[in-house]
Amino acid sequence: MDLEILLADRLAWAFSAVAGGPVDPVVRRSQHADFQSDAALSLARRLGRPPRDIATEVVGRAALADLCSSVEVSGPGFINLTVADPPLGSLLSNMAADARLGVPPSANPETVVIDYSAPNVAKEMHVGHLRSTVIGDAAVRLLEWLGHRVIKANHLGDWGTPFGMLIEHLLDLGESEAAHELSVGDLDSFYRAARVKFDADDTFKERARRRVVALQGGDELTLRLWRLLVGESEKYFLTVYDQLGVLLTENDFYGESYYNAMLTPVTDELDRLGLLSDSGDAACVFPEGFTGRDGQPLPIIVRKRDGGYGYGATDLAAIRHRTRDLGATRLLYVVGLPQRQHFEMVYAVAREAGWLSPPTRAEHVGFGSILGSDGKMLRSRAGGSIKLVGLLDEAVTRATELARQKNPDVSDAAVAEVARAVGIGAIKYADLSTDRIKDYVFDWQRMLALDGNTAPYLQYAHARIRSIFRRAGIEQFTATPITVGHPAEHALALELLNFGTIVTGVEQSLEFHRLAGYLHTLAATFSGFFEHCPVLRAEDDVRESRLALCDLTARVLRHGLYLLGIDTPDRM
Ligand code: ARG
């Protein structure tokens, strides 16, 4: 059981007795003691009593003697709690003996659909797709670990009018040449070349238009060419996922085309419900409460006059499919902030149509942009958009140089393995350690620094603990009882016992920077412990207990980083 929850439970009981009804004791970590509760202050008005009186009565009633060495009322009515060492020791011993590190699976497991990554066929993945992929991957890992049934939905952009020009361009190039260009990941120049012809050449434009009609009509040859385009792009995206070390596979592609057969039934249903209106050019839905700058209601375009369906229609079909057919009760959309309004409108329509009702909910897990050092959107030196693979390659190259400098005598293979973990880890961590709704500046120096809130710092902290065991000649450490005595052990214990609270907080908020920040504080607190408390030189039981603290810290760091998608090499 989590320390914070344990304390809150005991206080909640005393507070309710005093207040005559349930009270959240609002327990949190404190500068002045280990924890504090501020609930007496907010209760004062309701009960018409001075907050100090309330706090004093609560302290008198609360059964905290087995957990706390001191419980004090301070200032206007705060309750300061200092946890005693013996219960810290036994809570830690339990945590160490548990393969789940004291974090039980969710009591309310759900089916969660995570819509993320979603690059576009025959287009390069850009840094926005990087953010979606990295954040979505962390969400998958964390929610799966907590026992939820997670469906990874890679909403690939694999359908729509651009495919007319892309297929015609493919025919011009010849199939094998086109396949070659696409398989080496030269997606942008393929797309650009098609675009140039489309804009400059009217006969090409007409061919493209007719090709779209053939594609929508299910023409065999056209479909085969379309599949070729999609297949080559998918293969390429899979190599990027592999390089990134994320969990996405070929089974997770649920591209826009997956919903094609649902589009007509969905439109019919919207029509029957009276939600569809004809705006001249297209059949649209106007969800309640969305207006443009001019005060006019905003539409989601469902079916265009030519019979084609758009991005919005596909998202409506997808949300209906996910709640109705897949039985999901939580839908996450990991997509950049510019698309926030689009999703709010999709959810609104789904609610009006009865496809999305409590407890089922949809959440836009939005994120900001990645900026260059000039504070503008990250661009290549030539001013174009940055290729994701280029970035990943550079990260590994830079990490290889660092690893070489640090360990000149290590084998190339060992260096390569560490460099991959560090380089890719640094990129992911830089992303996940900042509040996702904010923009962040992409800075090689900072993300690869061995000190600071970085992946290399945490990976190094982990490897350093593992090296203690190597030095002691211990291959497999078996958990032994932990006793807490030294103030630095006390401080480390409080951090370790906070892991579950952090993880369950992120389960709801999907604010991974809170997990990252926690791991960073844990590593820093461990340094303090290691500085003040000899481990291998300590005697008997103290040595064993401290080794157990080291091992537990390493396991929490390793698992915490795993949840963020970051590897932890044993040596660095
Ligand atoms: N392919 C889109 C893009 O690159 C992202 C799709 C997001 N997911 C969705 N269900 N619309 O912007």
Side-chain angles (χ1 to χ4, degrees):
M1 165 81 97
D2 246 60
L3 181 54
E4 205 172 301
I5 298 175
L6 211 53
L7 294 168
D9 277 356
R10 304 281 183 92
L11 278 175
W13 186 86
F15 265 112
S16 339
V18 173
V23 177
D24 175 359
V26 212
V27 172
R28 55 189 170 84
R29 295 289 292 279
S30 156
Q31 305 277 323
H32 311 291
D34 291 341
F35 292 92
Q36 76 181 48
S37 157
D38 301 351
L41 278 77
S42 45
L43 260 186
R45 180 184 291 233
R46 210 177 95 199
L47 298 183
R49 289 177 59 185
R52 270 197 80 98
D53 274 13
I54 300 175
T56 310
E57 196 186 331
V58 167
V59 166
R61 286 183 183 239
L64 289 164
D66 59 330
L67 289 178
C68 294
S69 57
S70 128
V71 182
E72 277 171 358
V73 177
S74 85
F78 303 120
I79 301 175
N80 287 345
L81 308 168
T82 304
V83 183
D85 287 338
L88 286 180
S90 55
L91 286 166
L92 284 174
S93 304
N94 291 342
M95 180 176 176
D98 179 2
R100 292 191 56 91
L101 298 163
V103 185
S106 166
N108 171 30
E110 297 187 84
T111 296
V112 186
V113 172
I114 309 185
D115 181 313
Y116 69 115
S117 192
N120 301 310
V121 164
K123 270 196 181 172
E124 191 51 63
M125 281 178 91
H126 56 67
V127 290
H129 297 121
L130 170 70
R131 293 212 70 181
S132 176
T133 307
V134 167
I135 296 167
D137 187 57
V140 171
R141 289 165 188 260
L142 188 122
L143 294 176
E144 277 186 346
W145 188 54
L146 292 176
H148 298 289
R149 171 176 170 243
V150 174
I151 298 170
K152 297 175 265 162
N154 192 348
H155 198 84
L156 205 65
D158 66 353
W159 196 255
T161 38
F163 283 90
M165 73 175 192
L166 291 169
I167 291 171
E168 288 303 323
H169 179 55
L170 182 144
L171 285 170
D172 287 355
L173 280 181
E175 287 181 35
S176 57
E177 173 55 27
H180 173 72
E181 245 181 58
L182 292 168
S183 66
V184 295
D186 206 355
L187 273 59
D188 273 346
S189 53
F190 185 91
Y191 196 94
R192 232 179 297 120
R195 184 84 229 180
V196 165
K197 282 196 275 179
F198 185 85
D199 289 337
D201 178 348
D202 280 342
T203 31
F204 184 83
K205 195 183 245 165
E206 181 52 25
R207 277 166 58 198
R209 202 193 57 75
R210 258 185 271 131
R211 188 59 73 183
V212 175
V213 176
L215 181 65
Q216 285 168 346
D219 172 62
E220 270 313 315
L221 168 81
T222 306
L223 279 176
R224 191 177 62 75
L225 298 171
W226 168 75
R227 261 184 236 112
L228 183 90
L229 274 174
V230 174
E232 288 300 332
S233 292
E234 285 183 347
K235 254 191 263 164
Y236 171 67
F237 296 141
L238 288 171
T239 64
V240 179
Y241 296 148
D242 187 50
Q243 193 178 6
L244 261 176
V246 294
L247 301 172
L248 279 170
T249 69
E250 69 268 24
N251 300 325
D252 307 315
F253 288 120
Y254 293 99
E256 295 179 30
S257 66
Y258 179 77
Y259 303 96
N260 280 351
M262 305 173 206
L263 294 170
T264 308
V266 162
T267 312
D268 291 347
E269 189 170 334
L270 289 169
D271 199 13
R272 266 202 312 283
L273 293 165
L275 293 172
L276 207 62
S277 27
D278 191 343
S279 75
D281 274 350
C284 301
V285 258
F286 293 92
E288 198 81 45
F290 293 89
T291 46
R293 284 216 193 101
D294 52 2
Q296 292 298 313
L298 285 175
I300 292 188
I301 297 171
V302 178
R303 189 176 46 215
K304 288 172 243 164
R305 209 223 293 270
D306 65 10
Y309 293 92
Y311 187 63
T314 303
D315 267 323
L316 289 174
I319 200 167
R320 177 174 168 272
H321 174 64
R322 290 167 185 178
T323 58
R324 273 200 189 174
D325 308 336
L326 301 177
T329 50
R330 191 178 187 194
L331 308 176
L332 303 177
Y333 292 82
V334 190
V335 188
L337 285 172
Q339 293 194 46
R340 163 145 284 172
Q341 175 165 280
H342 163 75
F343 288 111
E344 292 303 334
M345 290 173 70
V346 168
Y347 308 159
V349 173
R351 269 184 224 108
E352 290 173 23
W355 305 331
L356 180 65
S357 44
T360 302
R361 66 251 181 245
E363 297 160 54
H364 181 217
V365 186
F367 51 81
S369 310
I370 307 185
L371 307 177
S373 50
D374 55 0
K376 301 206 185 98
M377 295 282 273
L378 191 64
R379 298 249 161 245
S380 69
R381 250 165 262 144
S385 69
I386 291 234
K387 249 179 111 157
L388 182 56
V389 258
L391 219 55
L392 301 182
D393 286 340
E394 182 165 354
V396 176
T397 311
R398 285 177 183 257
T400 308
E401 278 162 32
L402 289 182
R404 271 258 160 275
Q405 278 165 22
K406 265 193 118 22
N407 310 296
D409 344 296
V410 178
S411 77
D412 283 351
V415 165
E417 203 185 309
V418 170
R420 188 188 134 96
V422 170
I424 301 297
I427 289 207
K428 289 183 177 178
Y429 193 86
D431 200 299
L432 293 168
S433 59
T434 38
D435 188 351
R436 66 177 152 72
I437 63 164
K438 297 205 179 118
D439 298 343
Y440 74 91
V441 173
F442 194 92
D443 178 344
W444 287 117
Q445 240 74 45
R446 200 174 59 204
M447 71 175 74
L448 284 165
L450 273 172
D451 47 13
N453 190 13
T454 65
Y457 171 77
L458 292 175
Q459 290 167 319
Y460 188 66
H462 169 266
R464 198 166 71 144
I465 302 178
R466 293 270 73 111
S467 78
I468 299 170
F469 289 89
R470 276 197 298 279
R471 252 181 293 147
I474 302 171
E475 264 187 40
Q476 189 68 50
F477 184 76
T478 30
T480 47
I482 296 176
T483 43
V484 172
H486 193 284
E489 290 176 324
H490 186 97
L492 180 59
L494 291 179
E495 283 311 321
L496 287 166
L497 292 170
N498 200 21
F499 183 54
T501 304
I502 295 292
V503 168
T504 48
V506 177
E507 175 188 17
Q508 297 310 321
S509 70
L510 302 168
E511 292 176 330
F512 290 96
H513 70 284
R514 300 197 185 276
L515 177 55
Y518 164 77
L519 295 173
H520 179 244
T521 307
L522 174 63
T525 311
F526 180 83
S527 289
F529 157 78
F530 200 58
E531 204 176 300
H532 293 106
C533 301
V535 176
L536 294 179
R537 281 178 289 115
E539 309 226 321
D540 309 331
D541 288 358
V542 177
R543 181 178 188 267
E544 287 305 302
S545 167
R546 287 185 179 165
L547 277 171
L549 272 174
C550 291
D551 184 63
L552 183 56
T553 304
R555 283 165 62 201
V556 172
L557 285 174
R558 184 181 172 85
H559 192 66
L561 286 170
Y562 166 82
L563 293 176
L564 297 177
I566 296 171
D567 290 337
T568 36
D570 271 347
R571 301 166 193 259
M572 270 176 75

